[in-house]
Amino acid sequence: MERHGLRFNKGYGQNFLINEAVPKRIAAECGAEADEGILEIGPGIGTLTCELCRLYKKVVAVEIDTSLIPALQETTAEFDNLTILNADVLKVDLPSLIAKEFDGMKVTVCANLPYYITTPILMGLLESGCRFENITVMIQKEVALRLCAKPGDADYGAVTASVARYGQVSRLFTVSAGSFMPAPKVDSAVIRIKIDAVRRYTVKDERIMGRTIRGAFAQRRKTLVNSLASEFGELNKEAIAEVVIAAGLAPDVRGERLGIPQFAALADALTAALGK
Ligand code: SAM
């Protein structure tokens, strides 16, 4: 970085891996097969990228910071199975990118994510309509615990349920702050979301499902009926109470007790009540 006159850009969540064992392990355990394509987000100066290029057929790496690209090209020069894209992953048209670069291959996402946009990136990937095999990412440990929580756990929340709709989340290993430069103030963990080949719970209206999950957790201390009422202003509380009963749930249940099957039943009952 010194040779290229580079500085860490905190605004882009730049904490680069300096412990060689960590990118090796992330690449090896990301869940992909050797003939799969890999989408990497935020390659930085290529520590994880090189390991991915060694193990998998093709890698596409999307990096927002233009100033890093020459250093990244240098560290990855030996690989001819890498495409570097200088772009903001939140603005990329993922289905077009995947179709163009991977041409029918299976694709796994593997990344050490910029922590300031973990949730938008994860939800953007899951809701993109692209069928990824796995999404294996290093994130803040606290967020990893939340994503791995089960209904009823203190850490279970809207983001847990939103991600659980798409696959099975498992925590692979934790990484200490000393493995990065600069060292982040928080601990990190690598999680893998094994995406379900077939969606386990289909609903009539995906947007209502999203609103149902958000609404159920909007006011955690309130009952489900009261919490949903704040999201679904179109319906009065009596109508929402009927919906909750129609979905087979107790009227005084709390959102944090519900798993995906219950949210799906509730979303369909709300869709019917809204006359959609
Ligand atoms: N993969 C490298 C490593 O492990 O050492 C760097 C990881 S660093 C935590 C996150 C990387 O994501 C940085 O290189 C940063 O510039 C990049 N980044 C931040 N926001 C981004 C965005 N919206 N789109 C693409 N890359 C982004």
Side-chain angles (χ1 to χ4, degrees):
M1 285 188 72
E2 240 172 57
R3 199 154 39 73
H4 283 268
L6 294 171
R7 282 163 188 269
F8 296 103
N9 185 334
K10 275 197 187 159
Y12 284 147
Q14 290 177 355
N15 299 96
F16 293 168
L17 279 165
I18 51 167
N19 174 352
E20 259 182 88
V22 178
K24 273 194 174 30
R25 189 163 174 201
I26 299 174
E29 296 186 21
C30 74
E33 308 281 339
D35 62 352
E36 243 174 74
I38 304 286
L39 174 65
E40 187 190 4
I41 296 159
I45 56 168
T47 332
L48 176 59
T49 321
C50 291
E51 301 303 332
L52 293 168
C53 287
R54 272 187 200 110
L55 295 181
Y56 304 105
K57 191 165 174 192
K58 173 155 191 194
V59 177
V60 173
V62 182
E63 172 58 57
I64 197 171
D65 187 349
T66 311
S67 70
L68 296 179
I69 305 295
L72 178 61
Q73 283 167 336
E74 187 184 304
T75 59
T76 57
E78 69 185 279
F79 301 106
D80 58 8
N81 58 340
L82 169 67
T83 302
I84 296 169
L85 197 68
N86 182 199
D88 177 346
V89 74
L90 296 177
K91 296 189 180 147
V92 166
D93 176 353
L94 286 172
S96 309
L97 174 76
I98 301 296
K100 177 168 165 258
E101 296 290 343
F102 293 110
D103 192 25
M105 288 167 83
K106 288 184 174 176
V107 181
T108 278
V109 177
C110 187
N112 170 14
L113 288 183
Y115 295 173
Y116 73 110
I117 44 171
T118 299
T119 307
I121 292 179
L122 283 181
M123 292 319 298
L125 291 166
L126 292 168
E127 291 171 353
S128 66
C130 300
R131 194 11 217 126
F132 298 111
E133 299 298 314
N134 306 275
I135 299 180
T136 301
V137 285
M138 175 130 66
I139 55 179
Q140 208 175 312
K141 188 174 163 193
E142 192 194 315
V143 181
L145 292 176
R146 220 178 299 148
L147 292 182
C148 294
K150 299 280 172 257
D153 291 351
D155 285 329
Y156 187 73
V159 69
T160 323
S162 303
V163 170
R165 289 173 64 192
Y166 296 91
Q168 315 287 331
V169 186
S170 50
R171 187 146 67 101
L172 299 184
F173 54 94
T174 51
V175 179
S176 64
S179 294
F180 302 84
M181 185 184 273
K185 292 196 178 71
V186 292
D187 282 330
S188 302
V190 180
I191 59 147
R192 182 169 64 213
I193 310 170
K194 172 91 192 105
I195 306 295
D196 296 331
V198 179
R199 291 286 287 280
R200 283 168 303 154
Y201 302 101
T202 50
V203 288
K204 292 194 193 95
D205 187 326
E206 290 284 340
R207 275 170 314 150
I208 299 289
M209 178 68 163
R211 287 181 67 194
T212 305
I213 293 174
R214 260 199 318 279
F217 292 99
Q219 293 175 302
R220 282 191 84 112
R221 287 169 187 282
K222 298 201 170 175
T223 61
L224 184 61
V225 172
N226 285 330
S227 194
L228 283 173
S230 63
E231 172 69 33
F232 290 92
E234 313 96 297
L235 297 172
N236 61 32
K237 264 192 203 166
E238 289 67 39
I240 292 180
E242 280 170 24
V243 161
V244 169
I245 291 163
L249 302 170
D252 60 349
V253 72
R254 288 180 192 276
E256 58 260 38
R257 300 243 150 240
L258 307 184
I260 302 304
Q262 287 87 22
F263 278 121
L266 198 53
D268 280 349
L270 280 161
T271 305
L274 288 163
K276 296 200 176 190

